[in-house]
Amino acid sequence: MYVVAQHKIVNPETAFPRGRSLMSGTGAPDGTRVLQFYPHVDGSVVTCLWETKSLEDVQRFVDTTLGDSSVNVCYAVDSENAFADRPLGMKPSPAPVIY
């Protein structure tokens, strides 16, 4: 399944260093990896797309990793109606596939 995580950054000095673990997949639940990372230009908000076995795995992982540096809202993607294409100029995800 796919899950979107929206992060309202409360403390960027803490959130972004902690977020490196999310991007690299360090400590991620089995079968969970980040596919896309979209930070706002001012660093106040970040939206990510995850591939995972459950919504709860992503919610728990981002909440535990980011702590009080971010307010995180996660939701399951309706993949029958969603669409995506990787925009030119964006690099591939650094997170390994873990199954």
Side-chain angles (χ1 to χ4, degrees):
M1 80 180 300
Y2 297 100
V3 169
V4 168
Q6 295 179 321
H7 313 280
K8 182 176 189 260
I9 307 301
V10 177
N11 183 336
E13 294 78 23
T14 302
F16 284 97
R18 289 179 182 174
R20 287 189 198 105
S21 294
L22 297 175
M23 290 186 280
S24 69
T26 304
D30 287 343
T32 298
R33 71 181 182 123
V34 67
L35 300 173
Q36 297 176 349
F37 174 76
Y38 296 108
H40 188 284
V41 293
D42 70 4
S44 64
V45 179
V46 175
T47 301
C48 300
L49 178 66
W50 292 82
E51 183 176 42
T52 186
K53 294 178 183 175
S54 78
L55 170 69
E56 293 78 15
D57 282 350
V58 174
Q59 186 74 61
R60 188 171 33 258
F61 184 45
V62 299
D63 287 345
T64 300
T65 302
L66 295 173
D68 61 359
S69 68
S70 174
V71 176
N72 310 299
V73 175
C74 297
Y75 62 89
V77 173
D78 174 1
S79 56
E80 284 191 32
N81 291 305
F83 65 90
D85 196 7
R86 189 172 82 197
L88 294 176
M90 289 199 175
K91 59 188 175 189
S93 172
V97 176
I98 302 169
Y99 291 102

